Amino acid sequence: MKVLMFGWEFPPHILGGLGTASYGLTKGLSLQPDMDITFCIPKPWGDEDQSFMRIIGMNSVPIVWRDVDWNYVNSRVGSYMDPQLYYDLRDHIYADFSYMYVNDLGCMEFSGRYPDNLHEEINNYSIVAGVVARQQQFDIIHAHDWLTYPAGIHAKQVSGKPLVIHVHATDFDRSRGNVNPTVYSIEKNGMDHADCIMCVSELTRQTVINHYHQDPAKCFAMHNAVYPLAQELQEIVDQRKPYSERKEKVVTFLGRITMQKGPEYFIEAAKRVLDRTHNVRFCFAGSGDMMNSMIEMAAAYGIADRCHFPGFMKGKQVFECFRDSDVYVMPSVSEPFGISPLEAMQSGVPSIISKQSGCAEILSKCIKVDYWDIDAMADAMYALCMYPSLHEYLQVEGKKEVDGITWEKVGQRIRKLYDETIQKYK
């Protein structure tokens, strides 16, 4: 089966959970011997793992014909794409885009990030998708998150192939209900055109059905997973000091420090814990628009000396953080899924998660609290820091549970939905 996927980020260059999920999902799917995946991203960097799929850089797809030398094309795109593909794509330009701003290869530039002109990049990405869809051979289209829905729609219109969209989050999650009408319209348009909607949790599925008015019959919960730790990462977490030897316990928040993630509830709970003991430190690993206000809040509560803000972390840094943590907390107000608790538990860190998170649907060996119940959150933090038997139980059983939640199983469920979607589409 040939799959044309549209995504926005891919490891090792990630800006959030979307890149991590995209990697795991494609890797899990690729374990099926007949699976052939082409993954499109705005701007590859050349160090992406293409051992199990191929990447097309949308910044290297020509939309205006240029007469350029092979060696020059190879010097520009050869680190991440076969130069011959550039010429093959050039032969499938299907409209006059000479009015668009393009570079010397006839391609549009992309930041590969989330720039101020994000909506312009989303639109440009969808234009390029038409050229890709005319040249590539595929059975089904799979578009990840609202950023690529317009590209998925365009590819469907050009190719006549069925469209699957993957809802990793909605604007209701990101905005606490203060929805951006432009983003909402892009999301709803993608859902309306989709033949199958995969949602990262039942929580998200209900949002799609109730707020975007989608047919429940085409909406499916598709929970995320984790992939086994690489040897390098396992060696990092194996360096953890035994619980009994850690004089000061560390409670960690790891994620975007923004409204959706509920960082203020973490600070409130930290204050309550520190009212009972002074032997705990609190780590805010991440960055976001609420970072400065959280620093000010910690100072106002008089606990700034116990709170640390190391900034955004990725790759090895995440697991170094888990190695040095005794408890992981995800107090999200609205979390479509949330992979980080799975990574924490996989690393041997007992976790506290909000009941308002998608991963709460599949995890049982952790402590679940309502994000707004500060006392319950503080009690759970305190108990895991003070009671070795509880800590050991959740450490051991949590790791066992997460080790059984694999991307290979997710890939098998996605393949089943692919087959059903193609069959209905015929």
Side-chain angles (χ1 to χ4, degrees), residues 135-198:
Q135 188 273 332
Q136 291 287 303
Q137 298 295 314
F138 51 92
D139 302 300
I140 198 164
I141 304 157
H142 192 151
H144 292 279
D145 227 16
W146 69 281
L147 304 145
T148 71
Y149 294 168
I153 293 169
H154 194 180
K156 177 180 179 177
Q157 291 169 337
V158 164
S159 66
K161 300 294 185 180
L163 169 64
V164 172
I165 66 166
H166 210 119
V167 185
H168 294 266
T170 71
D171 210 46
F172 283 89
D173 303 303
R174 292 181 289 266
S175 66
R176 284 196 191 174
N178 186 24
V179 176
N180 181 317
T182 303
V183 175
Y184 176 87
S185 66
I186 293 173
E187 290 177 329
K188 188 170 190 314
N189 196 39
M191 295 173 192
D192 290 344
H193 281 84
D195 301 287
C196 174
I197 302 175
M198 296 184 191

Side-chain angles (χ1 to χ4, degrees), residues 344-351 365-366 384 388-403:
M345 293 163 70
Q346 184 183 39
S347 304
V349 185
S351 295
K365 304 303 182 182
C366 61
L384 285 169
S389 57
L390 175 63
H391 186 279
E392 182 183 2
Y393 173 77
L394 289 180
Q395 183 178 50
V396 173
E397 295 302 318
K399 186 175 189 313
K400 280 184 190 173
E401 180 174 52
V402 169
D403 284 347

Side-chain angles (χ1 to χ4, degrees), residues 25-190:
L25 190 148
T26 50
K27 188 71 182 280
L29 269 172
S30 71
L31 296 175
Q32 299 171 43
D34 67 334
M35 191 62 66
D36 184 349
I37 303 169
T38 299
F39 198 96
C40 302
I41 52 175
K43 182 181 179 179
W45 301 90
D47 53 357
E48 292 84 5
D49 181 3
Q50 295 196 52
S51 62
F52 55 91
M53 51 86 195
R54 77 183 63 81
I55 283 179
I56 291 181
M58 302 298 258
N59 63 331
S60 300
V61 176
I63 62 167
V64 177
W65 203 93
R66 291 282 190 264
D67 185 11
V68 281
D69 176 72
W70 168 278
N71 291 328
Y72 183 67
V73 172
N74 186 46
S75 70
R76 292 284 297 277
V77 310
S79 64
Y80 55 83
M81 196 171 93
D82 181 357
Q84 182 58 48
L85 181 56
Y86 167 86
Y87 294 100
D88 294 341
L89 289 162
R90 190 183 64 174
D91 293 339
H92 287 81
I93 296 171
Y94 63 97
D96 181 9
F97 292 114
S98 58
Y99 63 91
M100 300 291 293
Y101 178 77
V102 296
N103 60 21
D104 55 336
L105 293 179
C107 306
M108 287 194 280
E109 301 284 357
F110 293 93
S111 68
R113 303 180 70 82
Y114 299 93
D116 291 338
N117 67 332
L118 181 59
H119 289 282
E120 180 184 348
E121 290 216 345
I122 291 170
N123 184 64
N124 290 345
Y125 184 96
S126 71
I127 291 171
V128 178
V131 177
V132 174
R134 284 176 68 89
Q135 188 273 332
Q136 291 287 303
Q137 298 295 314
F138 51 92
D139 302 300
I140 198 164
I141 304 157
H142 192 151
H144 292 279
D145 227 16
W146 69 281
L147 304 145
T148 71
Y149 294 168
I153 293 169
H154 194 180
K156 177 180 179 177
Q157 291 169 337
V158 164
S159 66
K161 300 294 185 180
L163 169 64
V164 172
I165 66 166
H166 210 119
V167 185
H168 294 266
T170 71
D171 210 46
F172 283 89
D173 303 303
R174 292 181 289 266
S175 66
R176 284 196 191 174
N178 186 24
V179 176
N180 181 317
T182 303
V183 175
Y184 176 87
S185 66
I186 293 173
E187 290 177 329
K188 188 170 190 314
N189 196 39

Side-chain angles (χ1 to χ4, degrees), residues 91-357:
D91 293 339
H92 287 81
I93 296 171
Y94 63 97
D96 181 9
F97 292 114
S98 58
Y99 63 91
M100 300 291 293
Y101 178 77
V102 296
N103 60 21
D104 55 336
L105 293 179
C107 306
M108 287 194 280
E109 301 284 357
F110 293 93
S111 68
R113 303 180 70 82
Y114 299 93
D116 291 338
N117 67 332
L118 181 59
H119 289 282
E120 180 184 348
E121 290 216 345
I122 291 170
N123 184 64
N124 290 345
Y125 184 96
S126 71
I127 291 171
V128 178
V131 177
V132 174
R134 284 176 68 89
Q135 188 273 332
Q136 291 287 303
Q137 298 295 314
F138 51 92
D139 302 300
I140 198 164
I141 304 157
H142 192 151
H144 292 279
D145 227 16
W146 69 281
L147 304 145
T148 71
Y149 294 168
I153 293 169
H154 194 180
K156 177 180 179 177
Q157 291 169 337
V158 164
S159 66
K161 300 294 185 180
L163 169 64
V164 172
I165 66 166
H166 210 119
V167 185
H168 294 266
T170 71
D171 210 46
F172 283 89
D173 303 303
R174 292 181 289 266
S175 66
R176 284 196 191 174
N178 186 24
V179 176
N180 181 317
T182 303
V183 175
Y184 176 87
S185 66
I186 293 173
E187 290 177 329
K188 188 170 190 314
N189 196 39
M191 295 173 192
D192 290 344
H193 281 84
D195 301 287
C196 174
I197 302 175
M198 296 184 191
C199 308
V200 292
S201 62
E202 181 60 29
L203 183 77
T204 304
R205 179 175 177 268
Q206 291 303 320
T207 299
V208 167
I209 292 168
N210 296 320
H211 293 290
Y212 294 85
H213 314 294
Q214 297 303 308
D215 179 1
K218 74 173 186 178
C219 302
F220 302 88
M222 187 62 64
H223 295 101
N224 287 330
V226 286
Y227 33 89
L229 289 182
Q231 183 177 351
E232 178 187 27
L233 300 179
Q234 188 63 56
E235 288 172 355
I236 290 173
V237 299
D238 285 346
Q239 295 167 7
R240 176 195 311 281
K241 279 187 180 180
Y243 179 85
S244 59
E245 295 178 16
R246 299 163 75 100
K247 293 181 180 178
E248 286 193 319
K249 300 300 188 282
V250 177
V251 179
T252 295
F253 169 108
L254 190 148
R256 284 180 291 115
I257 304 177
T258 191
M259 182 170 58
Q260 179 191 348
K261 304 294 183 179
E264 69 270 37
Y265 301 103
F266 185 81
I267 289 274
E268 294 271 5
K271 175 67 168 66
R272 283 167 168 73
V273 171
L274 292 170
D275 285 341
R276 299 163 73 177
T277 178
H278 201 63
N279 215 26
V280 182
R281 292 186 179 274
F282 295 87
C283 174
F284 269 90
S287 59
D289 61 321
M290 289 181 68
M291 186 169 181
N292 288 340
S293 62
M294 291 302 97
I295 294 172
E296 292 168 2
M297 189 174 176
Y301 278 152
I303 60 172
D305 63 322
R306 296 273 109 189
C307 296
H308 304 268
F309 293 82
F312 178 75
M313 292 185 172
K314 65 177 181 179
K316 286 199 304 182
Q317 295 172 319
V318 170
F319 292 91
E320 288 167 352
C321 184
F322 288 147
R323 175 197 63 199
D324 298 331
S325 301
D326 298 282
V327 181
Y328 175 74
V329 183
M330 188 180 74
S332 298
V333 174
S334 178
E335 186 71 48
F337 185 77
I339 288 179
S340 54
L342 278 69
E343 293 177 331
M345 293 163 70
Q346 184 183 39
S347 304
V349 185
S351 295
I352 302 165
I353 63 176
S354 76
K355 293 178 181 177
Q356 290 72 27
S357 60

